Amino acid sequence: MFDTQTHKDNAVESKATKIECRDCQVYYGDTHAIKDVNVDIEDKTVTAFIGPSGCGKSTFLRCLNRMNDTIDIARVMGSFKLDGEEIYDKRVDPVQLRAKVGMVFQKPNPFPKSIYDNVAYGPRIHGLARNKADLDEIVEKSLRRGAIWDEVKDRLDAPGTGLSGGQQQRLCIARAVATEPEVLLMDEPCSALDPIATAQVEELIDELRQRYSVVIVTHSMQQAARVSQKTAFFHLGNLVEFGETGQIFTNPEDPRTESYITGRIG
Amino acid sequence: MTDATSSGASPTTKHATSLLAADDRTRRRNAAEARFRGYGVAAIVVAIMALVGLVSSILYNGSSAFFQTFITLEVYLDPAKLDKKGTGDPEEIRKVTTFGYAPLIVASFEKLAEEDGIAVDGLTAKKAAALISKEGAADLRRYVRADVNRVGQTVEFKFLASGRIDGYYKGRVTMESAEIDNNISPEQLQLADQLKEAGLLKTSWNWGFLTMADASENRPEAAGLGVAILGSFYMMIIVLCLTLPIGVAASIYLEEFAPKNRFTDLVEVNISNLAAVPSIVFGILGLSIFINFAGLPQSAPIVGGLVLTLMTLPTIIIATRASLKAVPPSIRDAALGVGASRMQAVFHHVLPLAMPGILTGTIIGLAQALGETAPLMLIGMVAFVREYPSAPPEGFFEPAAALPVQVYNWTQRADPAFVERASGAIIVLLVFLLIMNAVAIILRRRFERRW
Ligand SMILES: Nc1ncnc2c1ncn2[C@@H]1O[C@H](COP(=O)(O)OP(=O)(O)OP(=O)(O)O)[C@@H](O)[C@H]1O
Ligand SMILES: [Mg+2]
């Protein structure tokens, strides 16, 4: 905790904290999947979560928009504050929260509907568009930001499930940004993408950073180094190290972090 | 392995044999596979043979029920008989009983004998008139009552031939059997042959089998499935209207919303158990609750429908839950992830994907209910019903029959002509089941989408 603070002070520019997590614990039944995690996710910043498989990156990410609510055996404890408001408060409707904190999942999961409807669904249920023209505009803008517009603009009525894996993932990204979330959680968004699409998505992430806060889980050290300003390293449910990306990759403090980024564990 | 290669000598090492000759292991594996396939094919052959045997025997016995022997006669609607007072008052004419029409038919046969010479020695016109079904006079009466101005005219009327005559042309009755049969004599059969030669007796397609009501023991030729089809149809409407909403709502709640705890576990176990409860138990339940306690009428489609609903509900809930479960959770996550509520996720995304499964389950449940006999017998649907129930909703509360019970009823009767009727009814039942299954397949095709 003290470490984090020092890094923050070292930061070139200090930004407002968007999500503040304190003493977070997650249990799956008896399995303790997240242990005592304290993280501050900053606004207008890309935060990368790295760590070996099964260390709890996805689990922690899902805490941030209460997707763990859907898992019966999952129990979440600790304090998560979005803009100072406790998101696990009884009065919070997870539906409203998820409109603010969007998510792109590890596995592409487009709706079995048309490409257009996939993107338009969020804006429709949140009433973001006043009319059809509005909606068309949102859809086009989102698909452009998802770096997939050129590939699908002629077949918006085709089913989203008929796209290739990488295209599906970009469609999911477009769907997530269509609702204009304030925080975007991305769980390995590029694991199914080719280098070109990956570059496009990274560009998108960089662009999103201008306005939102982005949290990205990735297994690619290079990607974490390229897109993020902050990096958190998880290991066996613990947050081992959290700080400036440059710092973590060049001068890690924990030996476990060092062995992971140099490829010795994980 | 390393040893073998380094010594360079052993051709018996694991993979050193030729690919062209199968080794022992492979041969044994292939033999096992061939045997297994053999069993599979044998099982399918047995199943198909059983099915073919069943269907062909039913078709063989029952298809003749759709054809019936008719006798066309010229009938003089004698005012002296139908309008004895000569007032021409329609009310008076309507009052003439079925009994009063019998002499008209006898007269027709007398005329046939005199004018056309169609007669058999020693066979009185009265006996000859027995060639016509006992239902014939009633039919004629209905015809006259429909328009009393017909009195005084000579009309051509198509009568049902009696069950024995019909049986004669279907091979059930022979000259020999007629010798010892009180209901028919060889002379009558000879007369029938003469009528046939004169073109007055014909065997033709019989819509009446599908539209007429049941008939009594000694007039099988007039028995039809009309009331039974209507009753079964009404019950299916009730079952569909109750099970689909209740079943789907219950399944959605249990599958998508209910917390997983002891209580829901208990509910779940009980639903599975209900699906295995013998149907006759539901009949007893229906008898005691719907008829004895709630006071609903006996033999009514509403009671049958409610009992079948109870019976079908577990089937539909199980099928619906299975198809909801089959929808990948990633779809729910996706919907929740863009900020849909749980209900929106279910109704916008999960339910449409589960729809083919739900519809198939529902139709299979309905098909099961359509063929169900035991519980309906307990609630009095075995009764002999001649009156068509009226249109819904009142019709739901009036006595009706049901297809499978009608089959059972007919097999219980003495006259062999009813065997043919029962088989015919089974054909009708099977056709309905086939149609329902076809609809299930079509719906599944239409709604099916990949994800
Ligand atoms: N639904 C669940 N039920 C029970 N245990 C779970 C569930 N989801 C995750 N876990 C457990 O929680 C731990 C963390 O899982 P998590 O999915 O967060 O890992 P991860 O870091 O995202 O891994 P990966 O990089 O492979 O995606 C694992 O040990 C896993 O077995
Ligand atoms: Mg993960």
Side-chain angles (χ1 to χ4, degrees):
Chain A
M1 196 54 236
F2 185 69
D3 293 343
T4 327
Q5 210 53 50
T6 24
H7 288 311
K8 209 171 184 181
D9 292 342
N10 293 346
V12 190
E13 39 172 340
S14 187
K15 285 168 181 155
T17 302
K18 188 74 184 169
I19 306 181
E20 183 187 287
C21 315
R22 289 289 172 274
D23 298 327
C24 307
Q25 321 277 349
V26 180
Y27 292 88
Y28 288 113
D30 295 330
T31 323
H32 199 171
I34 292 287
K35 302 163 189 159
D36 292 322
V37 171
N38 296 289
V39 171
D40 286 326
I41 311 257
E42 289 171 6
D43 203 8
K44 303 193 174 32
T45 306
V46 178
T47 308
F49 288 176
I50 59 170
S53 196
C55 67
K57 305 179 298 289
S58 301
T59 302
F60 188 70
L61 198 70
R62 290 163 64 93
C63 290
L64 301 181
N65 67 345
R66 289 186 61 170
M67 281 303 283
N68 282 332
D69 288 14
T70 60
I71 302 174
D72 284 312
I73 56 169
R75 277 180 300 133
V76 180
M77 281 175 279
S79 147
F80 296 78
K81 289 203 168 106
L82 173 70
D83 293 328
E85 291 176 333
E86 177 60 47
I87 63 177
Y88 280 85
D89 193 292
K90 277 205 179 63
R91 287 165 293 177
V92 172
D93 186 347
V95 170
Q96 241 171 317
L97 171 71
R98 290 183 199 127
K100 276 191 175 185
V101 185
M103 184 153 194
V104 176
F105 294 83
Q106 193 161 352
K107 221 177 75 196
N109 54 356
F111 299 129
K113 296 183 187 293
S114 73
I115 293 171
Y116 184 94
D117 286 336
N118 259 283
V119 182
Y121 183 67
R124 262 196 205 126
I125 59 174
H126 295 303
L128 299 184
R130 261 165 290 120
N131 50 38
K132 179 85 171 74
D134 248 14
L135 196 60
D136 286 348
E137 202 187 307
I138 293 177
V139 169
E140 181 179 341
K141 199 178 75 191
S142 308
L143 286 170
R144 278 189 195 285
R145 292 167 79 187
I148 193 181
W149 171 253
D150 290 331
E151 283 154 78
V152 300
K153 62 170 184 266
D154 301 322
R155 46 171 175 152
L156 291 176
D157 290 329
T161 38
L163 297 171
S164 79
Q167 289 172 326
Q168 288 186 13
Q169 187 64 302
R170 279 178 283 153
L171 177 63
C172 292
I173 295 175
R175 182 177 68 191
V177 297
T179 50
E180 298 280 338
E182 293 170 19
V183 181
L184 188 61
L185 311 175
M186 304 176 105
D187 196 347
E188 294 179 42
C190 299
S191 56
L193 300 190
D194 66 13
I196 300 170
T198 303
Q200 287 169 328
V201 171
E202 287 178 5
E203 213 171 284
L204 164 72
I205 294 173
D206 213 49
E207 185 209 313
L208 291 173
R209 181 167 70 93
Q210 312 301 320
R211 281 189 288 166
Y212 315 127
S213 150
V214 179
V215 183
I216 175 171
V217 172
T218 176
H219 278 289
S220 153
M221 297 308 123
Q222 292 86 345
Q223 184 171 50
R226 276 197 304 267
V227 299
S228 71
Q229 288 78 52
K230 290 279 188 137
T231 298
F233 172 64
F234 286 82
H235 185 63
L236 300 176
N238 294 303
L239 177 66
V240 173
E241 201 166 341
F242 177 53
E244 293 294 329
T245 300
Q247 173 84 19
I248 298 255
F249 278 96
T250 52
N251 191 12
E253 294 182 354
D254 197 288
R256 284 172 293 180
T257 318
E258 185 173 7
S259 25
Y260 180 70
I261 56 181
T262 53
R264 263 176 287 146
I265 59 167
Chain B
M1 188 69 193
T2 336
D3 280 352
T5 31
S6 54
S7 67
S10 170
T12 54
T13 35
K14 232 173 159 185
H15 299 291
T17 47
S18 159
L19 273 179
L20 298 176
D23 63 10
D24 272 355
R25 264 184 96 77
T26 316
R27 260 198 298 278
R28 273 201 304 277
R29 263 195 318 232
N30 289 349
E33 189 175 317
R35 268 199 308 280
F36 181 75
R37 280 195 210 172
Y39 298 147
V41 170
I44 289 176
V45 167
V46 169
I48 289 182
M49 271 171 19
L51 189 69
V52 167
L54 182 81
V55 170
S56 54
S57 100
I58 289 172
L59 284 180
Y60 177 77
N61 284 321
S63 52
S64 56
F66 295 91
F67 297 91
Q68 201 66 39
T69 310
F70 292 95
I71 299 175
T72 312
L73 290 180
E74 290 205 340
V75 184
Y76 175 51
L77 299 172
D78 194 348
K81 297 257 165 52
L82 300 178
D83 186 15
K84 285 190 174 130
K85 292 182 191 146
T87 53
D89 179 8
E91 283 311 308
E92 287 295 319
I93 294 172
R94 287 211 178 86
K95 272 186 193 153
V96 179
T97 59
T98 306
F99 206 65
Y101 283 85
L104 300 181
I105 299 173
V106 176
S108 293
F109 275 98
E110 274 166 358
K111 207 173 102 195
L112 265 184
E114 281 164 20
E115 294 179 4
D116 305 305
I118 299 179
V120 175
D121 286 344
L123 192 70
T124 61
K126 196 156 184 196
K127 276 268 174 65
L131 262 63
I132 304 289
S133 161
K134 293 197 173 72
E135 199 67 18
D139 284 343
L140 191 60
R141 174 168 181 257
R142 227 170 284 137
Y143 174 75
V144 172
R145 276 163 62 97
D147 180 8
V148 287
N149 291 329
R150 285 169 178 152
V151 173
Q153 295 171 357
T154 299
V155 295
E156 279 214 337
F157 198 83
K158 199 171 161 191
F159 292 100
L160 277 167
S162 80
R164 288 299 194 286
I165 299 296
D166 186 50
Y168 178 52
Y169 293 104
K170 287 174 180 168
R172 270 198 308 271
V173 176
T174 58
M175 288 292 176
E176 290 79 51
S177 75
E179 298 269 6
I180 51 169
D181 191 335
N182 288 336
N183 292 321
I184 195 88
S185 65
E187 288 77 26
Q188 285 171 320
L189 294 183
Q190 284 165 16
L191 181 65
D193 279 337
Q194 286 187 22
L195 284 168
K196 191 174 171 113
E197 250 165 58
L200 296 176
L201 183 147
K202 281 199 189 91
T203 300
S204 62
W205 179 260
N206 179 22
W207 280 115
F209 183 57
L210 295 176
T211 58
M212 286 184 306
D214 193 8
S216 64
E217 192 82 27
N218 46 19
R219 45 184 86 166
E221 65 280 358
L225 285 170
V227 176
I229 290 177
L230 212 56
S232 277
F233 179 65
Y234 283 3
M235 285 194 290
M236 288 305 108
I237 292 179
I238 294 169
V239 173
L240 184 67
C241 292
L242 290 178
T243 47
L244 195 60
I246 296 179
V248 171
S251 320
I252 290 179
Y253 176 74
L254 281 175
E255 198 56 43
E256 307 283 337
F257 295 98
K260 300 273 172 289
N261 55 27
R262 285 262 175 76
F263 178 71
T264 46
D265 281 352
L266 197 72
V267 170
E268 219 160 283
V269 169
N270 276 316
I271 289 174
S272 317
N273 284 344
L274 274 182
V277 168
S279 56
I280 193 135
V281 176
F282 286 102
I284 295 174
L285 190 77
L287 180 65
S288 62
I289 293 184
F290 299 128
I291 296 182
N292 292 345
F293 178 70
L296 289 170
Q298 283 199 5
S299 321
I302 182 80
V303 180
L306 287 173
V307 167
L308 294 179
T309 300
L310 288 183
M311 228 196 67
T312 321
L313 214 47
T315 317
I316 290 190
I317 291 181
I318 289 171
T320 305
R321 293 192 60 183
S323 40
L324 287 174
K325 238 186 218 123
V327 176
S330 62
I331 297 291
R332 294 180 184 83
D333 283 351
L336 297 177
V338 292
S341 69
R342 277 225 258 182
M343 196 165 133
Q344 284 172 326
V346 170
F347 281 91
H348 295 168
H349 301 289
V350 177
L351 205 53
L353 288 176
M355 219 50 198
I358 295 177
L359 289 175
T360 317
T362 307
I363 290 176
I364 288 172
L366 278 185
Q368 237 174 35
L370 181 65
E372 199 52 65
T373 325
L376 299 183
M377 292 171 56
L378 280 183
I379 57 153
M381 292 203 86
V382 264
F384 175 72
V385 184
R386 286 270 310 151
E387 294 292 314
Y388 294 90
S390 47
E394 297 86 40
F396 289 153
F397 295 88
E398 291 166 9
L403 270 176
V405 185
Q406 191 71 69
V407 173
Y408 168 79
N409 246 342
W410 283 346
T411 54
Q412 296 305 99
R413 296 195 184 164
D415 194 318
F418 278 112
V419 174
E420 169 205 84
R421 299 266 142 182
S423 301
I426 292 175
I427 293 176
V428 173
L429 194 56
L430 286 181
V431 167
F432 281 143
L433 293 180
L434 279 182
I435 292 173
M436 288 169 84
N437 282 324
V439 169
I441 290 170
I442 291 169
L443 286 177
R444 198 163 49 206
R445 289 266 163 81
R446 167 135 329 158
F447 280 98
E448 203 146 67
R449 275 183 248 164
R450 272 177 295 275
W451 55 77

